[in-house]
Amino acid sequence: MKFKSLAIYLIISSFFLTCILSIWKIMATLQGLSFTNLNVTTVFLNGILLSLAFVLVGNKINHLIKIFSLSFIFSILYFYLNEASPYWYIFGVFLITLFFTNKLKKYSVQSLKEDFISEKIIFDFITLFGIVFFAFVILFPFYIMLVTSFKTQIALLVNPLDFSLNFTKNLTELFKSYFVIFETYNFGRYILISSAVSIGTVIVTLLFAIPAAYAVARLNFFGKNFLSTSILIIYMFPAIVLVIPLYTVFSQLGLRNSIFGLLIVYTATTLPVAIYMLQGYFKSIPKEIEDAGIMDGQNWFGIILKIIIPLSLPAITSVALYVFMIAWNEFLFSLMFLDSPKSFTLSRAIQYLSGDAETPRQYLMAGSVIVTLPILFIFIYFEKYLVSGLTAGSVKE
Amino acid sequence: MSDSLSKLEKRTAYTLVLPAVLLVFAIVLFPIFANVWISFKDIELKDIRIPEPRAKKIVKSISENQSELKIIYKLRNSSLIQEIKNVQFQDRFPKNISPINLDPRCNFQSRKVICDFGNWQAKYRENFEITIQNNNGEIIDKKIIKSQKPILSGKADNPLLTTNFTLENFKKVFYQNNFVELLLTTFYFTFFGTIGAIIFGILAAQLVNQNIQGRTYMRGILLFPYVGPVVALAYTWTLLLDPNSGTLNALLVNFNIIDQPINLLGQKYITMSVLGFEFKLRLALTTVIFFEIWRYFPLAFLFILARLQAIPQILYEAAEVDGASPIQKFVHITLPQITAIISILFMIRFIWNFNKFEDIFLLTGGASGTRTLPISVYQQGFAVSDIGMGSAVSIVIVMLLLSFMVIYFRLIGKRANEV
């Protein structure tokens, strides 16, 4: 039993170390270091030695001294066994090993005898591995997007692995792609259009949704149940089946290439989810507060304006942010309805740019950064509200 | 409550609800029904405009004598398929100018030439000429003549509203373009995309639910792919996966993991051999499915995490006392608590993946074996410009969706009864 858990401990922990060091090596390669071998086997065997040494040393020396000395020895070994590498890279290896040995803290010869220890080891390291894996897989494309926008097409064709940035160059040189897409490709205009459409959609959606949600939440009328169930079914129906009829009708009415047309469509497609989210919140407001308002002689308009809206600001914020996100990111309708560069939204403009095979990729990525950054900032800043919006509105995307 | 009060309440309710309902009707429900109509019509993109009579005016001198001019009107019916009835023509001329040998269909009065051209067939074309002269023998200014635009009017049916129907579109959908493969591709994409997103969602939720440092940051980061704009993310992936200078292929080649760059988005099949068995993998489709999983597992993650955090901690403590292993805890406590949310998620994601258009369109455009039903709507409707057929594909999508919903609600209903 003890031998089995020791073996599992060594293999799993060393596998984890190998993974992080490989990711570190990949990131270093992207900074222009010419590594050509991941040295997986060597790192793995060294990792096993390191983990073994860790449990064997046990509590004989202070934990801090132990992890520093073990990591130091490991890094020296790594330095000699690896291809020629600069000191900053080895220092990174040292820090990673330090982090790793610190995580080994709870394992000792003693603890390896506990019940279910092998399962616990697997769970622990899968958790660690999972965090590193998910963070890497998610952030890597964003990193590539950002860095590509600062490089040039030629440099990337010469060495597709060199993403190092030269900050000693002057800033205009570094931000050249951004200047170009604003000056030659009119991105300033597209930012304005996208903002106008998105904010407009939020306002109009709220104007329609708040009264409707109030009626569904509070008032009795014929067809109310039918309405609230059909809301759910309606937003299961996808944009792609609406596209052809809307395209034909909008063409005949001259609403294509108009921001107004886009705004109507965005509002209508986000309305069901907005009503659904708001009515849920309105129901949770105590009815007594409204009764007091009715006593004061308020009509429904006054009640909504003076009682309901101030009390449900958090929910309204959630809905507003969620609708903004949908409108800002929307692509299908802007592809269908907008043909003229005069009325492009950001998403459509980037797609239009990519249609020309001659467009250097750094411009495409600069455009992508411009469309992504605002939404990520809003998300990070208002995470709490957006998460509740996403959860409630998940039926729609 | 008294009758008048409840009447007032109803009236208020309808005033509040009606604007939203009407808008949703016009933009969401109406198109779904309009699809049925269009799908039975033989109609192409160029036919959707209402036919109108058009005229292009050309002014020519006919002699040294500048007091006479010939005007040619190139008349045509803008539609290639529809007749225009009762076409009326009218053009104005300056003072002292009158036509010579006017066409019998026309007459001249109070400085206007008015013609009655009758009915124009589809594709109708005619070069209609008028010769004019200045009654005083003075030179006529060509520019003034040219600047006056003729006015044409006529009656034509809106091609969308005519009542000739055909089953041709549906026949084409089912018998052309390999309908079975189209369905299979859609189902592969939908099914594996959904399952993958849920599995990764469970893994991520399980991770973040543990007591690790910085879990709030981790939750935020995990949602990035879901909140980012699809256009930016899809193009970043295309760059990343590019066979010539994409980062991924360059890395794999650099570390000698593969010999040749692989065109992950442009190659339909790749032959793999596992344990001596050779099989063909749908490469581009698999890549697109991975993108789909990457982008939508955050949603599954968010839901499952919310559910996990609601599981009472006491259950785990009790299991600990009973000496349960971590795997037993997961199987016997966690899993039963999240099955309900997983089945809901499965339906939501299944339906949305089934309808997914943007992601595939931006990554491959539907090439290399990634053509799904929604992509087909776009290709038929706008690339081939056969609106009728695109609508027919939309109808197929709607019918399939409705049947998924029925099946799902049956299953869920049954489960609810059993419990």
Side-chain angles (χ1 to χ4, degrees):
Chain A
M1 191 65 195
K2 191 191 157 195
F3 179 74
K4 186 186 144 205
S5 37
L6 180 69
I8 286 177
Y9 156 78
L10 292 179
I11 291 170
I12 294 281
S13 62
S14 174
F15 170 75
F16 172 67
L17 181 66
T18 315
C19 286
I20 329 185
L21 285 177
S22 301
I23 289 178
W24 174 236
K25 195 162 199 178
I26 290 170
M27 295 314 286
T29 312
L30 295 182
Q31 292 306 313
L33 296 190
S34 49
F35 293 135
T36 51
N37 194 342
L38 280 178
N39 275 337
V40 179
T41 340
T42 330
V43 177
F44 187 71
L45 291 177
N46 279 323
I48 286 189
L49 286 181
L50 178 69
S51 301
L52 188 63
F54 189 89
V55 280
L56 288 184
V57 174
N59 291 333
K60 279 171 208 138
I61 47 174
N62 176 290
H63 177 67
L64 269 182
I65 300 175
K66 183 166 102 178
I67 61 171
F68 265 96
S69 47
L70 281 176
S71 308
F72 189 70
I73 297 169
F74 181 87
S75 309
I76 302 277
L77 259 175
Y78 189 91
F79 180 72
Y80 282 108
L81 295 173
N82 195 28
E83 301 153 85
S85 39
Y87 290 110
W88 63 264
Y89 175 70
I90 293 297
F91 185 66
V93 172
F94 176 71
L95 287 182
I96 288 170
T97 328
L98 210 57
F99 166 77
F100 171 73
T101 41
N102 191 36
K103 285 285 166 203
L104 293 179
K105 194 174 180 179
K106 60 177 154 182
Y107 300 108
S108 65
V109 180
Q110 225 49 42
S111 74
L112 286 177
K113 286 177 189 160
E114 284 170 16
D115 289 344
F116 305 123
I117 188 70
S118 22
E119 273 183 28
K120 276 180 191 152
I121 295 167
I122 294 174
F123 261 64
D124 278 356
F125 278 100
I126 283 187
T127 308
L128 279 179
F129 170 76
I131 288 163
V132 174
F133 168 82
F134 276 111
F136 180 71
V137 166
I138 284 175
L139 293 178
F140 190 67
F142 287 93
Y143 168 76
I144 294 293
M145 184 202 291
L146 186 68
V147 187
T148 308
S149 71
F150 293 117
K151 302 287 290 187
T152 62
Q153 174 95 335
I154 302 146
L156 283 174
L157 285 175
V158 172
N159 183 2
L161 287 180
D162 186 4
F163 283 97
S164 60
L165 296 180
N166 187 356
F167 289 104
T168 51
K169 281 195 293 193
N170 62 27
L171 282 180
T172 22
E173 196 61 14
L174 198 61
F175 284 90
K176 192 166 175 259
S177 317
Y178 292 88
F179 287 114
V180 171
I181 61 169
F182 273 101
E183 276 160 17
T184 354
Y185 296 108
N186 262 327
F187 264 61
R189 185 187 172 87
Y190 304 144
I191 290 180
L192 279 181
I193 293 178
S194 266
S195 314
V197 172
S198 311
I199 294 170
T201 306
V202 170
I203 294 171
V204 180
T205 303
L206 286 179
L207 278 181
F208 280 88
I210 291 175
Y214 176 75
V216 173
R218 276 288 192 269
L219 304 175
N220 281 314
F221 58 95
F222 176 74
K224 177 175 155 176
N225 289 333
F226 174 73
L227 192 70
S228 45
T229 43
S230 54
I231 287 174
L232 273 162
I233 294 174
I234 285 171
Y235 55 55
M236 281 294 182
F237 280 95
I240 189 77
V241 307
L242 313 180
V243 149
I244 288 181
L246 286 181
Y247 181 91
T248 48
V249 173
F250 276 33
S251 294
Q252 293 197 345
L253 296 179
L255 280 173
R256 271 178 52 220
N257 277 319
S258 89
I259 292 170
F260 177 69
L262 214 54
L263 198 125
I264 299 177
V265 175
Y266 288 176
T267 305
T269 47
T270 48
L271 253 181
V273 74
I275 296 176
Y276 177 72
M277 285 160 75
L278 286 175
Q279 58 97 16
Y281 195 87
F282 290 171
K283 274 181 187 159
S284 72
I285 298 173
K287 214 169 173 202
E288 290 72 30
I289 303 178
E290 274 167 63
D291 290 341
I294 293 169
M295 294 294 207
D296 288 348
Q298 299 276 10
N299 58 5
W300 60 265
F301 183 74
I303 289 173
I304 291 181
L305 201 66
K306 294 196 180 126
I307 299 173
I308 296 287
I309 291 181
L311 282 177
S312 37
L313 274 183
I316 292 175
T317 318
S318 283
V319 175
L321 288 168
Y322 181 65
V323 170
F324 181 87
M325 189 187 97
I326 292 185
W328 181 270
N329 290 350
E330 207 285 332
F331 173 67
L332 175 59
F333 286 118
S334 61
L335 170 74
M336 295 294 173
F337 294 160
L338 310 177
D339 304 322
S340 133
K342 271 187 200 158
S343 50
F344 278 173
T345 58
L346 268 177
S347 288
R348 177 73 174 96
I350 294 168
Q351 193 262 342
Y352 184 74
L353 259 186
S354 85
D356 182 2
E358 304 282 291
T359 313
R361 63 179 64 167
Q362 68 267 26
Y363 298 162
L364 208 57
M365 287 298 104
S368 299
V369 170
I370 287 174
V371 69
T372 311
L373 272 189
I375 208 75
L376 281 193
F377 274 127
I378 290 176
F379 171 68
I380 291 166
Y381 196 73
F382 293 104
E383 192 188 326
K384 195 181 85 190
Y385 294 109
L386 250 175
V387 164
S388 59
L390 288 177
T391 332
S394 58
V395 202
K396 180 88 190 169
E397 42 197 14
Chain B
M1 196 183 287
S2 72
D3 259 11
S4 68
L5 249 179
S6 99
K7 251 185 201 162
L8 179 71
E9 184 176 343
K10 265 183 197 161
R11 208 186 309 140
T12 315
Y14 290 129
T15 0
L16 294 177
V17 163
L18 217 55
V21 169
L22 285 181
L23 188 64
V24 174
F25 249 93
I27 306 291
V28 183
L29 280 186
F30 161 73
I32 292 176
F33 293 111
N35 262 319
V36 181
W37 180 274
I38 299 176
S39 65
F40 287 105
K41 296 182 77 59
D42 179 20
I43 186 166
E44 295 198 1
L45 206 52
K46 57 180 186 296
D47 307 325
I48 60 174
R49 292 196 173 278
I50 300 168
E52 46 185 44
R54 297 210 179 130
K56 196 177 164 197
K57 191 173 182 181
I58 298 167
V59 184
K60 275 187 176 167
S61 329
I62 35 174
S63 58
E64 298 291 300
N65 183 1
Q66 294 282 324
S67 67
E68 277 186 17
L69 284 178
K70 187 158 85 176
I71 308 174
I72 304 163
Y73 298 93
K74 293 198 158 183
L75 305 175
R76 69 183 179 95
N77 177 346
S78 72
S79 166
L80 302 178
I81 50 159
Q82 261 193 299
E83 184 187 45
I84 307 175
K85 285 180 180 141
N86 201 9
V87 179
Q88 300 287 326
F89 171 96
Q90 182 184 323
D91 201 4
R92 267 178 82 93
F93 294 98
K95 240 183 211 170
N96 298 327
I97 287 179
S98 57
I100 330 169
N101 303 330
L102 195 62
D103 191 289
R105 291 172 293 181
C106 307
N107 53 56
F108 181 72
Q109 45 179 248
S110 58
R111 286 159 54 192
K112 277 186 218 159
V113 169
I114 297 171
C115 310
D116 184 354
F117 287 134
N119 299 351
W120 284 2
Q121 295 303 315
K123 297 179 189 169
Y124 179 86
R125 272 167 194 281
E126 179 187 348
N127 283 353
F128 172 68
E129 295 179 9
I130 301 178
T131 312
I132 48 169
Q133 66 171 17
N134 192 319
N135 301 342
N136 306 335
E138 288 165 8
I139 294 173
I140 310 176
D141 189 345
K142 269 192 192 175
K143 273 184 192 157
I144 293 176
I145 300 294
K146 184 118 210 233
S147 66
Q148 178 68 42
K149 297 268 179 280
I151 301 162
L152 286 98
S153 65
K155 269 195 176 173
D157 295 328
N158 187 332
L160 290 173
L161 300 179
T162 53
T163 47
N164 40 343
F165 295 109
T166 166
L167 275 172
E168 219 32 55
N169 293 323
F170 285 98
K171 276 189 197 152
K172 276 194 264 174
V173 170
F174 293 122
Y175 298 111
Q176 262 183 21
N177 293 323
N178 218 341
F179 184 67
V180 178
E181 196 193 316
L182 181 65
L183 267 190
L184 277 179
T185 311
T186 314
F187 274 99
Y188 285 145
F189 174 77
T190 310
F191 185 75
F192 290 111
T194 308
I195 290 289
I198 290 180
I199 289 175
F200 279 92
I202 296 175
L203 289 179
Q206 191 69 19
L207 285 181
V208 174
N209 196 36
Q210 274 155 56
N211 280 321
I212 48 160
Q213 294 147 347
R215 53 190 262 185
T216 41
Y217 296 108
M218 196 61 201
R219 186 181 77 168
I221 290 172
L222 280 169
L223 288 168
F224 277 13
Y226 186 69
V227 293
V230 59
V231 179
L233 299 179
Y235 285 137
T236 310
W237 270 62
T238 333
L239 267 191
L240 210 60
L241 303 177
D242 184 75
N244 299 316
S245 58
T247 322
L248 187 70
N249 272 303
L251 273 175
L252 290 176
V253 171
N254 181 53
F255 288 119
N256 293 318
I257 295 167
I258 52 172
D259 303 328
Q260 287 291 317
I262 303 172
N263 193 350
L264 285 162
L265 285 169
Q267 200 173 320
K268 188 168 179 182
Y269 290 109
I270 189 167
T271 320
M272 308 253 286
S273 71
V274 176
L275 304 169
F277 290 101
E278 286 213 336
F279 71 99
K280 276 170 146 185
L281 181 77
R282 296 279 293 264
L283 185 63
L285 186 63
T286 312
T287 316
V288 173
I289 290 174
F290 269 102
F291 177 76
E292 194 64 14
I293 295 174
W294 181 78
R295 216 164 106 68
Y296 295 103
F297 89 85
L299 186 80
F301 152 77
L302 198 62
F303 271 74
I304 297 168
L305 181 66
R307 189 70 203 89
L308 284 183
Q309 287 173 340
I311 300 177
Q313 211 52 43
I314 197 155
L315 288 178
Y316 290 105
E317 284 159 15
E320 188 83 28
V321 173
D322 291 345
S325 74
I327 291 180
Q328 284 170 330
K329 279 190 224 162
F330 180 77
V331 173
H332 294 291
I333 302 175
T334 314
L335 222 48
Q337 294 272 355
I338 57 175
T339 38
I341 193 73
I342 287 176
S343 63
I344 292 173
L345 269 174
F346 185 84
M347 182 188 79
I348 295 171
R349 284 268 32 107
F350 192 87
I351 289 177
W352 278 103
N353 278 347
F354 187 79
N355 300 328
K356 198 85 249 156
F357 169 79
E358 291 99 326
D359 306 52
I360 308 176
F361 176 77
L362 289 166
L363 286 174
T364 63
S368 344
T370 56
R371 198 165 65 102
T372 60
L373 281 168
I375 293 284
S376 183
V377 172
Y378 177 82
Q379 285 186 344
Q380 296 304 342
F382 299 94
V384 188
S385 10
D386 191 341
I387 292 265
M389 193 162 157
S391 270
V393 183
S394 302
I395 292 297
V396 173
I397 293 182
V398 171
M399 294 326 264
L400 285 170
L401 268 182
L402 284 176
S403 44
F404 294 150
M405 285 188 201
V406 170
I407 293 172
Y408 180 80
F409 284 120
R410 281 268 165 82
L411 287 181
I412 289 293
K414 243 185 205 168
R415 272 257 303 289
N417 288 339
E418 280 167 17
V419 173

